[in-house]
Amino acid sequence: MAEEIITIERHILEMQRGHPTATGVFTNLLYDIALAAKVIARETTRAGLVEILGLAGKMNVQGEAQMKLDVFANQVMIRMNSYTGRLCVMASEEEPEIITIPEGYPTGPYVLVFDPLDGSSNIDVNVSIGTIFGIYRRVSAGGPGTVEDCLQPGNRLVAAGYVIYGASTMMVYSTGQGVHGFTLDPGVGEFLLSHPNIRIPERPKYFSTNLGYQRYWSPGVVEYTRWLQGMGDEPVSSLSLRYIGSLVADFHRNLLDGGVFYYPADTRDPKTPHGKLRLLYEAAPLAFIARNAGGYASDGRQPIEDIVPTSLHQRTPLFIGSRDLVEKAEVFIGRYDQ
Ligand code: AHM
Ligand code: MG
């Protein structure tokens, strides 16, 4: 165990020292996100109390309107980042359009995209949920940020991360110099470095997918799944199945223990043949984290990070985790699916 106690603030600052020309804007943006995460964590840990203190959408005992947690998390992220002068624009999974900086407040050089509370359908059953974020540099010249600032591929991310609200709250982030995990000490309200330099282990343990939808999958994905289960021509040493149905929690476990998470395209809804997960708020930031931990993310045919989004809420199939396992998905899809 490391002797030294390192807070996320100190860690971010030390990372900045590696960039002598840095102005501190980016460093402060990461602080702001860590602070938003603490506020969201405070509310998610009280989630079960909503039933007692007042139902979401109704009045609580103090006569205040209760907000649904995903709406609350969205508002925290927006309020925390609108007035700082560090961003020119934001985009959230919860908002149909881009979020511009309010008039009269300065704009800055960065763009923030986020899913404020992913897996929120799990809140009622006390299963882990998460916040996912990505940071880009603006591409527009100046003034208010534009939708083009948000529609950048994952390979242009300057940082990405997620917060998992689980048995404990953790924040994991990367600026391209390793992936680092911090655990929130709720007593002192600080994120403390608990997982420096996360690397996906060589030997994967898990595959994670919603097998309930297998009948809707392409032949390549079905064959890939058989292979993961040790039933293919060249069997993999058997993997365990783990599926929470909460992307951040499924991704986090496989990042630490090795494995693959996939949510392929399926034919349930002809309007969305591209899978369920969102490229901008979910797939691209986690792809950045995976690669910086030695892993990989693909849509089954190409790296997630190479896909240039054409709309804010674009969906994508996602295969993510240990590099060998994700590359194998590409092989099966290339072989069986035309
Ligand atoms: P959400 O953004 O509406 O919360 O949905 C995303 C979630 C992910 O966390 C998870 O991986 C997926 O939906 C689970 O979907 P399913 O229940 O279809 O397996
Ligand atoms: Mg989501």
Side-chain angles (χ1 to χ4, degrees):
M1 192 216 269
E3 297 279 299
E4 212 178 350
I5 295 174
I6 300 175
T7 63
I8 199 165
E9 278 80 3
R10 201 177 125 201
H11 193 266
I12 293 169
L13 209 57
E14 275 170 17
M15 288 278 158
Q16 187 195 318
R17 287 213 185 95
H19 298 269
T21 52
T23 56
V25 173
F26 178 68
T27 302
N28 284 310
L29 173 54
L30 286 171
Y31 289 169
D32 296 339
I33 295 169
L35 179 57
K38 287 185 213 173
V39 176
I40 297 168
R42 188 191 64 199
E43 292 306 308
T44 54
T45 53
R46 292 162 40 85
L49 296 169
V50 167
E51 289 287 320
I52 299 164
L53 300 174
L55 283 171
K58 305 232 177 90
M59 294 293 172
N60 67 14
V61 286
Q62 281 89 32
E64 299 155 339
Q66 284 275 330
M67 234 183 274
K68 286 183 74 173
L69 271 176
D70 44 6
V71 178
F72 173 81
N74 189 45
Q75 291 195 2
V76 170
M77 288 292 280
I78 294 172
R79 287 179 60 197
M80 205 66 87
N81 290 291
S82 285
Y83 309 101
T84 58
R86 308 193 229 286
L87 299 176
C88 67
V89 69
M90 288 177 265
S92 161
E93 198 195 280
E94 290 284 328
E95 300 283 338
E97 309 294 340
I98 56 170
I99 306 155
T100 49
I101 301 304
E103 245 183 75
Y105 288 89
T107 55
Y110 293 102
V111 176
L112 177 64
V113 295
F114 57 91
D115 182 349
L117 210 57
D118 182 70
S120 49
S121 63
N122 290 308
I123 295 169
D124 290 349
V125 288
N126 215 346
V127 164
S128 302
I129 44 184
T131 299
I132 309 170
F133 65 90
I135 300 171
Y136 293 97
R137 258 189 210 93
R138 76 178 300 170
V139 289
S140 58
T146 64
V147 70
E148 281 68 39
D149 288 315
C150 299
L151 296 180
Q152 299 192 53
N155 57 30
R156 305 290 292 271
L157 281 162
V158 291
Y162 61 87
V163 184
I164 176 167
Y165 311 100
S168 52
T169 298
M170 271 191 75
M171 179 158 160
V172 175
Y173 85 97
S174 177
T175 56
Q177 301 168 274
V179 175
H180 310 285
F182 301 79
T183 303
L184 182 66
D185 180 331
V188 294
E190 290 279 7
F191 279 109
L192 304 177
L193 181 63
S194 52
H195 297 67
N197 271 314
I198 298 171
R199 304 290 298 172
I200 300 188
E202 288 284 317
R203 281 177 71 87
K205 275 189 171 167
Y206 303 120
F207 76 104
S208 310
T209 192
N210 192 335
L211 277 178
Y213 301 146
Q214 184 157 350
R215 65 190 180 284
Y216 304 117
W217 293 347
S218 68
V221 176
V222 171
E223 286 305 316
Y224 174 57
T225 305
R226 278 173 52 77
W227 177 79
L228 290 169
Q229 291 170 296
M231 300 194 291
D233 294 341
E234 332 133 41
V236 65
S237 59
S238 67
L239 298 170
S240 243
L241 168 67
R242 291 276 191 285
Y243 187 70
I244 297 169
S246 194
L247 176 61
V248 172
D250 279 309
F251 175 80
H252 181 70
R253 182 200 51 246
N254 291 1
L255 183 74
L256 296 185
D257 285 346
V260 61
F261 168 93
Y262 53 108
Y263 204 113
D266 69 46
T267 54
R268 266 173 304 161
D269 180 357
K271 288 199 299 290
T272 54
H274 304 295
K276 177 182 186 188
L277 300 173
R278 318 281 178 135
L279 176 58
L280 207 55
Y281 317 108
E282 297 169 328
L286 295 184
F288 180 90
I289 296 283
R291 179 172 51 79
N292 279 288
Y296 175 50
S298 168
D299 73 351
R301 297 186 187 273
Q302 60 183 324
I304 288 287
E305 291 182 282
D306 287 355
I307 306 173
V308 182
T310 53
S311 66
L312 288 175
H313 295 282
Q314 185 170 332
R315 295 172 194 266
T316 179
L318 176 64
F319 298 79
I320 191 166
S322 299
R323 178 167 281 278
D324 292 353
L325 295 182
V326 175
E327 285 175 348
K328 200 72 182 179
E330 291 178 332
V331 170
F332 275 98
I333 287 168
R335 194 183 297 163
Y336 290 96
D337 302 344
Q338 286 322 308

